Amino acid sequence: MEISLQGVDFAYQVAGRQLPVLYNINLKISAGDFLALTGAGGSGKSTLAQIIAGLLEPTAGKVSLDGRVLPGRGRFRGPSPWSRIGMAFQMPEQQLFAETVMEDVSFGPRNMGLSPDRVKARAYKALEAVGLDPETIGDRSPFTLSGGQRRRVALAGILAMEPEVLILDEPTAGLDPAGQELVLDLIRDFARRRDRAVVVVSHNMAEVAAIANQVLVLHQGRIALRGTPRDIFRQEEALRAYGLLPPPLTQLMHSLKQRGAPVPTDVLTLEEAQEAILHWLKG
């Protein structure tokens, strides 16, 4: 699946006036892509994610799926091409509503018109994918679960629809370190499937470095930088100018570089940093 945005602008209507948020966004997402949308608060990244998901329609420009320009989700009746894209908002556990976990996870597949057996099979598979036992947890109220478990149930509800593109807005917000790592592992597992794509909205540069293969930096509604994580993190001054802090490892390497150490500034992992520093010290 390919999602293409061409010359996209977007403005919210506030008290009868337009509040511009995005300007001339050109972007293409294909199977195998793992894109991080990042930027300071108010840069437009969450709005852009909702346009990619078909939840908002651009004020100007075009959004197409597999070369076909389409209206947003709200203007389709019956099966919609947008159902191939799943989106989790910030704190998705706050969207849980059903009396039991199984009913909540089954909601999406049931609305797709699948048979009861297929709905159940998808719900079981999705719960197992997020590390939850359907037999143990399926009949429980989602509101009796821990915060991390509720987050996983909400993600299972999206995975049960078997989307080709998964969009997540600040997926680790509010989770403890163990919960953050569990959710990131889940996202990585989804991204490893060759016919899938992932878009993650995050202001956490360490998180971006750990998961994405492409990064798009927004600043005041415009694309300011785009490239691989290594390309982006070399540009420490630019990131700071756009209200972002590079990952701690990147900051360390830039600091060493400024002090005369011949070390790279685009490391992404602790192992890479350790190897570079040991090589410098031995030299």
Side-chain angles (χ1 to χ4, degrees), residues 27-29 32-39 43-46 48-49 52 165-171 184 187 191 197-219 223-230 232-233 239 244 247:
L27 177 63
K28 188 175 291 185
I29 300 164
D33 287 347
F34 199 141
L35 174 68
L37 301 178
T38 190
S43 60
K45 53 189 183 293
S46 292
L48 177 56
I52 295 170
V165 179
L166 182 61
I167 302 173
L168 305 109
D169 193 349
E170 302 286 359
L184 291 179
I187 297 170
V198 176
V199 178
V200 172
V201 175
S202 179
H203 68 279
N204 185 328
M205 293 291 96
E207 187 172 284
V208 168
I211 59 177
N213 58 31
Q214 291 290 319
V215 180
L216 190 151
V217 177
L218 290 175
H219 179 64
I223 296 176
L225 300 171
R226 72 169 90 203
T228 67
R230 294 189 194 278
I232 299 300
F233 296 146
L239 286 173
L244 295 171

Side-chain angles (χ1 to χ4, degrees), residues 4-9 24-27 58 60-64 69:
S4 178
L5 279 65
Q6 298 173 292
V8 164
D9 295 349
N24 193 34
I25 301 296
N26 294 285
L27 177 63
K62 300 177 181 179
V63 179
S64 58
V69 178

Side-chain angles (χ1 to χ4, degrees), residues 9-124:
D9 295 349
F10 183 81
Y12 289 103
Q13 295 290 331
V14 180
R17 300 177 61 183
Q18 286 198 336
L19 177 63
V21 177
L22 295 173
Y23 306 88
N24 193 34
I25 301 296
N26 294 285
L27 177 63
K28 188 175 291 185
I29 300 164
S30 304
D33 287 347
F34 199 141
L35 174 68
L37 301 178
T38 190
S43 60
K45 53 189 183 293
S46 292
T47 299
L48 177 56
Q50 292 182 60
I51 290 175
I52 295 170
L55 297 170
L56 294 175
E57 293 190 52
T59 308
K62 300 177 181 179
V63 179
S64 58
L65 303 185
D66 292 331
R68 179 185 171 197
V69 178
L70 296 175
R73 290 179 188 248
R75 291 207 270 152
F76 272 92
R77 294 188 178 183
S80 164
W82 293 107
S83 65
R84 298 158 65 190
I85 303 172
M87 180 169 181
F89 293 90
Q90 290 189 43
M91 313 298 281
E93 62 272 21
Q94 295 179 358
Q95 298 167 233
L96 300 175
F97 63 92
E99 292 185 5
T100 69
V101 167
M102 189 59 66
E103 288 176 4
D104 215 303
V105 177
S106 299
F107 179 79
R110 186 178 294 118
N111 277 2
M112 294 170 66
L114 302 180
S115 68
D117 286 345
R118 290 187 66 192
V119 169
K120 182 177 180 180
R122 284 202 182 190
Y124 267 61

